[in-house]
Amino acid sequence: MSLDDDARWLEWVTKQFETIAGDDKEIDLEEFKTALKVKESFFAERFFALFDSDGSGSISLDELLKALDLLIHGNETDKLRFLFQVYDVDGSGSIDPDELKTVLKSCLRESAISLPEEKLDDLTLALFESADKDNSGSITFEELKAELETFPEVMENLTISAANWLKPPDLEQKKRQTPRYLTRAYWQNNSRKLLFLSMYGLLNLLLFIVAMLRHSYGGPWFMVAKGCGQCLNFNCTFVMVLMLRRCLTWLRATWVVRVLPLDQNILLHQIVGYAILGFTLVHTAAHVFNFVLQIQMMEHSEYSLWEYLLTTRPGIGWVKGTASLTGVILQVLICLMVLCSSTFVRRSGHFEVFYWSHLSYVWVWILLIIHCANFWKWFVVPGLVFLLEKIVGIAVSRMGGLYIVEVNLLPSKVTHLVIKRPQFFQFKPGDYVFINIPVIAKYEWHPFTISSAPEQSDSLWLHIRSLGQWTNRLYEYFRQSESEALSPQRLASSLRSRRQQLKDQISAKLSENHRFCNIKCYIDGPYGTPTRQIFASEHAVLIGAGIGITPFASILQSIMYRYRMRKQNCPNCKYSWCENIKDSEMKLRKVDFIWINRDQKSFEWFVSLLTKLEMDQADEEPEGRFLEMHMYMTSALSKNDMKAIGLQMALDLLAKKEKRDSITGLRTRTQPGRPEWGKVFQKVSEENKGKVHVFYCGAPALAKVIKAQCEHFGFNFYKENF
């Protein structure tokens, strides 16, 4: 932080002190804990004891500012001594093993990390043995300082302002910078989308102008209405073309994907949807104004405004004068569809509202054909293709019997379904399907990414997180069935007649959350996603946030299957390597996989798979490791937090000793906090493994951050959308 920032921060501390301290102008321990907003009171108590220099049991403003001034403007030794005093609980001038264990235990609680007592002992021992250079049985200040110096990133973080661990949440101010939409990198990386949108805008403008000129005889409002009507003919058809999933999946395998932004069809569908809403509002308003104008121009108008709008008496329209009436109904339906497809509806656990309201598109098309004499000409060809897709989808989904044969209930309410894979079902890594499970909801279809690899011929995997009504019902169905599965008589009966009687009930139980079953389901798909571009990349960066790992689970398994096909072993020794060969199937030279989770338990979803991937890799390769994994746990305090320094040092030391991470059990060390994307992509750029393609699946807010960094470094960015 700069001096100006420090001064501003101290000013904030003074104001906060006056707010927290109240009338007595002193901060007691409870008030101090509230101000620090810490999970574990140990650190609040230690900081309070060090700030309370006179031992009065409360902190005055002078004491607070004096301590903070030391931490902000003091030298490196002053700050290290403060950290030492935090760890030296009894004030003896040295840190013994019990004190260190107490500190690390509090660090674990502060970072929301749960480890067994034996692992805590191992962490304590690892850090203590490393720091206690003279084997005296205690750690002195000089020994702690020497140990910290072996961790440069820790030393760097200690030399910055103390505001890093006591700053207000709203203190950080956004730096003014050029909007990303005006940068050269943005235009280069989004050239296909921007060109497409430009052509789309020009086509709408051309249709609008031509239609206006054709109807110039009817006055300005009539011209505007007809111009918008012609644009609606095009857009109400085009919005359907963008959702022809089977056609788009086929086009992704052709040269068209290099010209058109097929991977952003959902975004374009949304843009066209909003354009339809805008055109309908203007179209309706222009007709209303035109009716009002006609009524005013005629001294004795035969019809009133409400008769023009809500009856067939004026005879407007090519089907028994129903243009106005169907227009009003269309306006209401389109407004409802747009409202129910808003992000706050879809993301707030009400997907069914979006799903059922969107099915009204059938009525919209029927009403449009009745409303406008020329709409059928625009609609007939795309409509037939859409109908053919639906017929093929229904036929494929109903062909053969598909059954869920195994279920795993994972942490954070994730349901892992194992489905018996039909012989005719072929898909690519990262593809998704629509699934219907009649026992959950007879008529609902929901999209989920396939998390198993195509090379896994006997089954399909789906990992489904409970976020809405349908997904919660799915999880609860199998959780509640656990009690039924526990009944010995029911279990024995089920096992005797499994083939006939197990279509909709739990049949066997492997563990508390893992069981066999035989439940009927239907699948429509597969459908392609942007991740199909991965095998055409040279350096792929896969970023999954939370359950966003599911497409990459399939991709990583497929990549490692192909990797094993290239693996070579020396016949005379145990040395193994992977030949660096580019072919039509896979051009990849390097893969970086980044998985970001909020808590420790979420890593359990795919930890066994990731462990297997680590074991599959050759220890030595001509150009370094082919697959590198990077795990981040956002609930864990980062290394720049004084409440986590000791824990992170201990975790590093124990990981080097045991060659495995204490949090996940993987060889890859789990990093605390969030990735610093600038540093991550800088390292990727310096590796020079070829053109970098970044693939992301997760929260939209993080997608914007990553996309901005990709534009800065000139990387291609792909986001999972369906």
Side-chain angles (χ1 to χ4, degrees):
M1 289 179 70
S2 66
L3 290 176
D4 288 340
D5 290 335
D6 283 336
R8 194 182 306 112
W9 182 76
L10 284 171
E11 182 182 352
W12 177 87
V13 171
T14 304
K15 290 181 180 178
Q16 285 297 101
F17 178 87
E18 294 172 355
T19 303
I20 297 168
D23 297 333
D24 59 357
K25 304 298 182 184
E26 296 279 335
I27 296 178
D28 60 26
L29 179 57
E30 291 305 316
E31 292 170 335
F32 191 70
K33 287 180 181 179
T34 304
L36 279 180
K37 298 179 181 178
V38 294
K39 300 175 186 175
E40 178 61 33
S41 62
F42 170 82
F43 289 103
E45 291 170 2
R46 293 301 302 140
F47 293 149
F48 184 85
L50 294 173
F51 280 29
D52 182 18
S53 56
D54 60 4
S56 62
S58 62
I59 302 173
S60 65
L61 177 59
D62 288 338
E63 286 177 324
L64 182 64
L65 292 178
K66 182 180 178 181
L68 295 181
D69 184 64
L70 173 75
L71 290 169
I72 293 171
H73 300 113
N75 56 35
E76 186 178 288
T77 303
D78 292 333
K79 296 168 187 176
L80 287 174
R81 191 169 294 281
F82 179 85
L83 178 64
F84 179 81
Q85 290 172 335
V86 171
Y87 283 30
D88 182 16
V89 180
D90 60 7
S92 62
S94 62
I95 304 170
D96 60 42
D98 290 335
E99 287 176 322
L100 186 59
K101 183 177 180 179
T102 301
V103 171
L104 293 182
K105 191 172 185 178
S106 298
C107 288
L108 287 170
R109 291 174 181 170
E110 194 73 29
S111 293
I113 299 174
S114 176
L115 295 177
E117 193 70 21
E118 297 79 11
K119 185 63 69 174
L120 175 60
D121 291 338
D122 292 340
L123 288 169
T124 304
L125 184 62
L127 182 55
F128 193 85
E129 287 182 345
S130 180
D132 184 18
K133 309 295 183 184
D134 59 3
N135 297 320
S136 62
S138 62
I139 302 172
T140 64
F141 170 71
E142 294 300 328
E143 287 175 329
L144 181 64
K145 182 180 178 183
E147 183 64 23
L148 284 167
E149 286 172 349
T150 62
F151 294 84
E153 68 276 11
V154 173
M155 292 299 294
E156 177 186 349
N157 291 323
L158 277 176
T159 57
I160 61 178
S161 169
N164 274 314
W165 56 269
L166 194 62
K167 64 185 176 185
D170 299 324
L171 183 64
E172 295 179 354
Q173 299 186 2
K174 296 180 180 179
K175 297 180 180 178
R176 292 185 179 181
Q177 55 185 1
T178 305
R180 55 186 290 263
Y181 300 107
L182 301 179
T183 61
R184 183 179 179 183
Y186 175 82
W187 286 80
Q188 287 178 340
N189 292 318
N190 295 275
S191 56
R192 287 183 303 162
K193 181 181 75 173
L194 294 173
L195 179 61
F196 184 84
L197 289 175
S198 298
M199 297 298 293
Y200 168 74
L202 287 172
L203 181 57
N204 275 286
L205 182 61
L206 180 63
L207 290 171
F208 184 83
I209 292 172
V210 170
M212 281 186 68
L213 294 176
R214 276 184 176 178
H215 299 87
S216 57
Y217 59 85
W221 288 117
F222 186 72
M223 293 168 64
V224 170
K226 288 298 182 180
C228 290
Q230 187 73 324
C231 291
L232 284 168
N233 284 335
F234 164 66
N235 282 278
C236 289
T237 303
F238 187 52
V239 75
M240 170 182 59
V241 171
L242 292 168
M243 296 308 293
L244 296 174
R245 295 187 180 90
R246 293 185 186 277
C247 292
L248 292 175
T249 299
W250 173 74
L251 286 173
R252 278 191 173 94
T254 68
W255 58 269
V256 177
V257 74
R258 296 192 294 271
V259 180
L260 298 178
L262 300 180
D263 296 332
Q264 295 175 304
N265 67 302
I266 299 295
L267 173 64
L268 297 174
H269 175 78
Q270 293 169 343
I271 291 172
V272 174
Y274 286 120
I276 290 172
L277 177 63
F279 283 128
T280 54
L281 291 172
V282 176
H283 177 75
T284 302
H287 271 308
V288 170
F289 288 137
N290 186 53
F291 292 151
V292 171
L293 193 62
Q294 288 184 21
I295 294 170
Q296 290 176 347
M297 291 176 64
M298 298 173 64
E299 293 183 4
H300 302 286
S301 176
E302 188 176 352
Y303 307 108
S304 62
L305 179 61
W306 73 269
E307 287 177 308
Y308 271 116
L309 295 175
L310 301 175
T311 70
T312 60
R313 289 182 60 192
I316 303 172
W318 74 301
V319 180
K320 297 184 179 181
T322 56
S324 294
L325 189 58
T326 54
V328 172
I329 299 172
L330 280 166
Q331 183 70 75
V332 173
L333 283 176
I334 290 170
C335 287
L336 283 175
M337 286 179 71
V338 173
L339 178 65
C340 294
S341 61
S342 301
T343 304
F344 74 88
V345 174
R346 291 184 289 110
R347 302 288 182 183
S348 59
H350 299 289
F351 181 84
E352 287 79 3
V353 175
F354 159 75
Y355 178 80
W356 289 108
S357 65
H358 240 57
L359 289 180
S360 60
Y361 66 77
V362 176
W363 293 107
V364 170
W365 288 334
I366 293 172
L367 289 170
L368 280 169
I369 292 171
I370 298 171
H371 178 78
C372 177
N374 293 317
F375 178 72
W376 71 271
K377 299 174 184 177
W378 293 81
F379 180 77
V380 62
V381 174
L384 287 173
V385 176
F386 182 83
L387 181 63
L388 182 62
E389 275 212 357
K390 286 295 180 183
I391 293 172
V392 170
I394 293 171
V396 169
S397 65
R398 301 289 170 175
M399 191 182 300
L402 290 184
Y403 290 90
I404 301 170
V405 296
E406 190 177 337
V407 177
N408 294 282
L409 300 182
L410 303 176
S412 301
K413 296 186 75 174
V414 171
T415 308
H416 173 202
L417 303 180
V418 180
I419 301 169
K420 187 176 181 180
R421 179 178 173 180
Q423 293 181 352
F424 63 84
F425 191 86
Q426 302 296 324
F427 68 98
K428 301 286 186 182
D431 284 0
Y432 70 97
V433 295
F434 283 83
I435 186 170
N436 168 254
I437 306 176
V439 295
I440 306 299
K442 192 171 183 179
Y443 299 107
E444 292 185 28
W445 293 78
H446 294 266
F448 298 102
T449 305
I450 302 171
S451 52
S452 54
E455 292 81 9
Q456 190 173 326
S457 59
D458 58 338
S459 62
L460 292 173
W461 290 1
L462 298 179
H463 284 75
I464 301 171
R465 186 165 190 181
S466 301
L467 293 174
Q469 295 177 16
W470 187 89
T471 52
N472 274 304
R473 286 204 304 270
L474 177 71
Y475 183 86
E476 290 301 320
Y477 175 81
F478 290 110
R479 190 180 67 83
Q480 291 172 4
S481 297
E482 177 185 339
S483 59
E484 299 175 8
L486 282 170
S487 170
Q489 293 151 350
R490 181 164 191 151
L491 180 58
S493 173
S494 296
L495 289 173
R496 282 194 302 269
S497 56
R498 180 179 178 117
R499 292 182 183 272
Q500 292 80 21
Q501 301 179 9
L502 297 185
K503 291 187 178 180
D504 57 359
Q505 66 184 38
I506 300 302
S507 64
K509 183 179 180 186
L510 295 178
S511 65
E512 185 178 352
N513 295 312
H514 181 198
R515 56 190 63 83
F516 291 122
C517 60
N518 203 33
I519 297 174
K520 184 78 173 179
C521 68
Y522 301 98
I523 283 179
D524 178 22
Y527 297 110
T529 65
T531 52
R532 286 197 171 193
Q533 301 292 321
I534 283 179
F535 294 101
S537 311
E538 291 181 313
H539 189 167
V541 180
L542 316 180
I543 304 173
I547 199 64
I549 187 183
T550 48
F552 304 130
S554 171
I555 291 161
L556 288 171
Q557 290 178 84
S558 187
I559 286 174
M560 293 312 295
Y561 174 84
R562 302 181 193 201
Y563 171 88
R564 285 194 294 271
M565 298 296 290
R566 298 179 181 180
K567 193 172 181 180
Q568 305 293 323
N569 293 286
C570 177
N572 300 321
C573 65
K574 295 182 179 180
Y575 180 76
S576 62
W577 72 96
C578 181
E579 291 186 348
N580 185 23
I581 305 172
K582 292 185 183 180
D583 54 38
S584 58
E585 289 294 320
M586 186 169 80
K587 298 179 181 179
L588 281 169
R589 295 172 58 193
K590 177 71 184 294
V591 178
D592 280 287
F593 170 60
I594 301 172
W595 190 14
I596 308 162
N597 271 315
R598 181 177 299 172
D599 53 57
Q600 182 181 359
K601 282 191 170 293
S602 297
F603 288 103
E604 296 176 18
W605 299 338
F606 290 97
V607 71
S608 58
L609 167 63
L610 298 177
T611 301
K612 185 178 179 182
L613 294 178
E614 284 187 330
M615 294 174 64
D616 281 343
Q617 274 206 105
D619 292 329
E620 295 183 31
E621 298 171 21
E623 295 190 4
R625 296 185 71 81
F626 173 71
L627 170 64
E628 283 194 26
M629 293 192 284
H630 313 269
M631 308 294 159
Y632 290 88
M633 181 175 164
T634 57
S635 67
L637 298 176
S638 58
K639 293 180 181 179
N640 67 354
D641 195 308
M642 200 171 283
K643 302 185 293 293
I645 290 172
L647 173 63
Q648 296 304 326
M649 289 168 58
L651 287 170
D652 281 344
L653 289 167
L654 192 60
K656 291 177 182 177
K657 180 180 178 181
E658 297 183 346
K659 295 185 178 179
R660 58 182 296 179
D661 181 55
S662 298
I663 297 174
T664 62
L666 298 170
R667 295 180 185 178
T668 304
R669 169 80 163 88
T670 302
Q671 299 300 320
R674 293 173 171 80
E676 295 184 37
W677 295 110
K679 293 183 179 179
V680 170
F681 289 147
Q682 181 63 43
K683 182 181 176 183
V684 169
S685 180
E686 291 171 354
E687 290 182 359
N688 294 321
K689 295 289 186 179
K691 181 64 176 176
V692 178
H693 295 252
V694 178
F695 301 86
Y696 172 77
C697 185
L702 182 56
K704 294 179 181 178
V705 176
I706 297 173
K707 186 175 182 180
Q709 288 292 335
C710 289
E711 289 166 2
H712 175 73
F713 285 93
F715 300 162
N716 289 348
F717 177 78
Y718 303 89
K719 179 178 178 292
E720 282 287 292
N721 278 311
F722 56 81

